[in-house]
């Protein structure tokens, strides 16, 4: 588990595969936290579909909370990776110490804030009078475990950036396997229904958090967690560099919230809750694609950051080409799968005929432009890894702006179901713009090699 990679000397294709594949697996398994919950919840006798709609309202809020772990984790790990490339271990150690302190403070603050505001937020974000009790129960218990969730997400970046992808994968696997085992026990054996799913998730996140802390406090890791040497300047750099990926994830959550609100508003009492259930299933499926995509583009950032710090433009260019090839191979395979077997996936969540038909159609729609979306992931995460945060943030905000506008305009002009077309429209337009911008700026940014 403690076998590391040589980011400076190992061949690029080998490095990309050794970092991307464990990260893809970890991200995929991480998605199982929410998907396993939703599968079991959807099959609770009598209340399954309504409970699933209620938990679907919670999904974007859960993702929003987790995005703060990425804010500190990805922001600090990129800086740490650059310092490791410069062979400045003391600076790298200081970054990890400050990042750990920030994670603790933000986790505690968010727990308090969301426990006091969750009820109003749930009603704003798409819960109906019928689904609110399920959403409130799940959100109350989940929020109480926010500390463990954010620490597990944030610390895992510092395991991966030091060249320990297998340990990073283990951090996620421990939590996901625990959740798979505990979900049916708490939901069906203890008859806790939605509350049982939330309790199982919190316990699983605690297990992931405990493993990440154990690993990063160990003596064999290159840079362990230390205490002291805190610096407002270092914390500011972490927050500044992490802001772009944070905005990507946070606005993803806000857009899903906007989507749920639009479906509830334009679907009306007749279809609102049913459409949110379908959106929950479709987004769960999409997460099974985009999470491994993030594993490819995000898991390989350590290669780019390290070699950027080492001024190795040749290795950066080679890595980006191979990462993009791997991404296109994966997204093409998933596009075909999305059109061949979506009924199997939908059947895991619901046996209701109307809900199943709408969910399959929603999956077909949201995956239409999944291949171009891969370019967006590779180039935005590549720019972030090389400290080009302004460009990365601009490109991310552009896509989210398109998505938000579509969620509002399309159902107004057509029907509530038209909101699902926002995804492919935003994907193709933003991928085109991102690819153009990347090609225009990358050569100038890597001129240090000359």
């Amino acid at each position: 588990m403690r076998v590391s990679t040589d980011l400076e000397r190992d061949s690029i294709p080998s490095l990309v595969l050794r970092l991307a594949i464990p990260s893809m697996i970890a991200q995929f398994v991480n998605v199982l936290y929410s998907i396993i919950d939703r599968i079991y919840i959807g099959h609770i006798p009598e209340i399954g579909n309504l409970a699933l709609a209620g938990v679907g309202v919670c999904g974007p809020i859960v993702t929003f909370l987790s995005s703060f772990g990425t804010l500190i984790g990805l922001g600090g790990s990129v800086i740490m990776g650059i310092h490791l490339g410069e062979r400045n271990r003391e600076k790298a150690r200081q970054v990890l110490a400050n990042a750990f302190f920030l994670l603790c403070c933000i986790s505690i603050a968010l727990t308090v804030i969301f426990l006091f505001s969750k009820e109003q937020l749930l009603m704003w974000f798409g819960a109906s009078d019928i689904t609110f009790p399920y959403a409130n129960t799940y959100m109350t218990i989940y929020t109480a475990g926010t500390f463990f969730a954010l620490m597990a997400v944030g610390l895992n970046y510092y395991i991966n950036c030091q060249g320990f992808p297998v340990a990073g994968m283990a951090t996620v696997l421990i939590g996901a396997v625990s959740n798979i085992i505990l979900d049916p026990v708490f939901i069906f054996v203890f008859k806790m229904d939605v509350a049982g799913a939330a309790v199982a998730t919190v316990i699983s996140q605690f297990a992931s958090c405990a493993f990440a802390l154990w690993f990063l406090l160990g003596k064999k890791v290159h840079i362990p967690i230390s205490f002291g040497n805190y610096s407002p300047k270092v914390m500011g750099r972490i927050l500044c560099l992490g802001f772009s990926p944070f905005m990507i994830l946070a606005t993803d959550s806000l857009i899903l919230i906007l989507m749920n609100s639009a479906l509830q508003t334009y679907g009306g009492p007749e279809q609102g809750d049913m459409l949110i259930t379908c959106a929950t299933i479709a987004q769960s499926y999409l997460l099974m694609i985009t999470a491994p995509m993030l594993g490819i583009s995000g898991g390989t950032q350590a290669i780019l950051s390290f070699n950027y710090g080492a001024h190795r433009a040749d290795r950066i260019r080679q890595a980006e080409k191979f990462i993009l090839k791997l991404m296109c191979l994966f997204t093409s395979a998933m596009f075909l799968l999305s059109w061949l077997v979506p009924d199997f996936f939908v059947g895991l969540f619901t046996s209701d005929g109307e809900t199943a038909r709408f969910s399959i159609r929603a999956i077909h729609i949201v995956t239409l432009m999944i291949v171009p979306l891969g370019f967006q992931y590779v180039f935005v995460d590549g720019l972030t890894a090389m400290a080009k945060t302004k460009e990365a943030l601009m490109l991310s905000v552009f896509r989210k702006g398109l998505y938000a506008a579509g969620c509002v305009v399309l159902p107004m002009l057509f029907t509530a179901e038209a909101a699902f077309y926002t995804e492919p429209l935003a994907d193709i337009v933003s991928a085109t713009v991102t690819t153009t911008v990347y090609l225009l700026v990358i050569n100038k940014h890597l001129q240090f090699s000359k």
Side-chain angles (χ1 to χ4, degrees), residues 203-223:
I203 293 173
S204 302
Q205 289 168 339
F206 170 79
S208 290
C209 174
F211 177 82
L213 282 171
W214 169 79
F215 189 86
L216 283 172
L217 288 169
K219 296 180 180 179
K220 293 184 179 180
V221 69
H222 301 318
I223 306 293

Side-chain angles (χ1 to χ4, degrees), residues 177-250:
V177 171
S178 300
N179 200 41
I180 291 170
I181 295 171
L182 294 176
D183 254 337
V185 174
F186 282 97
I187 293 174
F188 299 113
V189 178
F190 295 159
K191 300 185 184 302
M192 294 176 65
D193 295 341
V194 172
V199 170
T201 299
V202 171
I203 293 173
S204 302
Q205 289 168 339
F206 170 79
S208 290
C209 174
F211 177 82
L213 282 171
W214 169 79
F215 189 86
L216 283 172
L217 288 169
K219 296 180 180 179
K220 293 184 179 180
V221 69
H222 301 318
I223 306 293
I225 293 174
S226 59
F227 303 92
N229 201 15
Y230 301 125
S231 165
K233 183 178 179 181
V234 172
M235 293 182 195
R237 286 187 65 206
I238 291 172
L239 293 172
C240 182
L241 196 55
F243 187 71
S244 175
F246 165 75
M247 282 296 294
I248 294 172
L249 292 175

Side-chain angles (χ1 to χ4, degrees), residues 1 21-33 152 156 165-181 204-205 207-209 211-212:
M1 187 177 295
I21 291 176
S23 184
M24 287 174 69
I25 295 172
Q27 290 290 342
F28 175 79
V29 172
N30 193 37
V31 169
L32 293 180
Y33 273 124
N156 206 33
V166 177
M169 180 176 66
T171 303
V172 179
L173 282 174
I174 287 170
V177 171
S178 300
N179 200 41
I180 291 170
I181 295 171
S204 302
Q205 289 168 339
S208 290
C209 174
F211 177 82

Side-chain angles (χ1 to χ4, degrees), residues 78-386:
V78 168
I79 300 171
M80 186 177 176
I82 292 173
H83 286 318
L84 289 172
E86 296 169 341
R87 292 180 172 77
N88 193 333
R89 293 175 63 88
E90 286 306 311
K91 283 288 186 181
R93 187 182 303 273
Q94 184 185 26
V95 170
L96 181 53
N98 281 264
F100 182 70
F101 179 77
L102 277 174
L103 278 170
C104 291
C105 293
I106 290 178
S107 299
I108 294 170
L110 287 173
T111 299
V112 174
I113 292 170
F114 272 78
L115 279 175
F116 282 100
S117 61
K118 61 181 173 56
E119 293 183 12
Q120 187 62 54
L121 290 173
L122 289 171
M123 293 305 295
W124 284 347
F125 298 157
S128 66
D129 292 336
I130 299 174
T131 60
F132 174 79
Y134 306 112
N136 187 49
T137 297
Y138 189 90
M139 202 65 232
T140 300
I141 297 171
Y142 183 91
T143 304
T146 296
F147 180 87
F148 306 126
L150 265 63
M151 293 296 287
V153 171
L155 292 178
N156 206 33
Y157 283 98
Y158 297 94
I159 295 175
N160 286 324
C161 87
Q162 295 187 57
F164 295 98
V166 177
M169 180 176 66
T171 303
V172 179
L173 282 174
I174 287 170
V177 171
S178 300
N179 200 41
I180 291 170
I181 295 171
L182 294 176
D183 254 337
V185 174
F186 282 97
I187 293 174
F188 299 113
V189 178
F190 295 159
K191 300 185 184 302
M192 294 176 65
D193 295 341
V194 172
V199 170
T201 299
V202 171
I203 293 173
S204 302
Q205 289 168 339
F206 170 79
S208 290
C209 174
F211 177 82
L213 282 171
W214 169 79
F215 189 86
L216 283 172
L217 288 169
K219 296 180 180 179
K220 293 184 179 180
V221 69
H222 301 318
I223 306 293
I225 293 174
S226 59
F227 303 92
N229 201 15
Y230 301 125
S231 165
K233 183 178 179 181
V234 172
M235 293 182 195
R237 286 187 65 206
I238 291 172
L239 293 172
C240 182
L241 196 55
F243 187 71
S244 175
F246 165 75
M247 282 296 294
I248 294 172
L249 292 175
T251 50
D252 269 345
S253 304
L254 296 175
I255 285 169
L256 291 178
I257 290 168
L258 184 60
M259 169 76 83
N260 286 340
S261 298
L263 293 174
Q264 189 66 255
T265 300
Y266 295 101
E270 299 82 9
Q271 286 193 318
D273 288 338
M274 188 272 290
L275 286 174
I276 289 179
T277 300
C278 295
T280 301
I281 295 172
Q283 288 298 329
S284 298
Y285 182 84
L286 190 60
L287 278 173
M288 294 181 66
I289 302 175
T290 57
M293 287 169 64
L294 183 62
I296 295 173
S297 62
T300 53
Q301 283 180 312
I303 304 171
L304 305 177
S305 296
F306 184 96
N307 285 285
Y308 182 76
H311 289 192
R312 291 294 306 274
D314 57 325
R315 286 176 65 83
I316 291 173
R317 290 193 176 94
Q318 187 183 358
E320 282 283 67
K321 290 178 182 177
F322 196 82
I323 293 167
L324 185 59
K325 289 178 182 179
L326 181 61
M327 180 70 78
C328 289
L329 180 64
F330 174 76
T331 52
S332 297
M334 294 309 297
F335 174 79
L336 292 175
L337 204 61
S338 302
W339 284 81
L340 292 174
V341 292
D343 50 337
F344 171 77
F345 182 82
V346 171
L348 296 174
F349 289 84
T350 182
S351 56
D352 179 75
E354 184 183 20
T355 302
R357 285 192 297 274
F358 268 93
S359 297
I360 291 171
R361 179 168 171 77
I363 288 174
H364 285 162
I365 294 170
V366 299
T367 57
L368 276 172
M369 293 296 167
I370 202 69
V371 176
L373 182 61
F375 286 73
Q376 173 86 1
Y377 272 63
V378 170
F379 293 144
V380 168
D381 283 352
L383 290 170
T384 301
M386 292 177 279

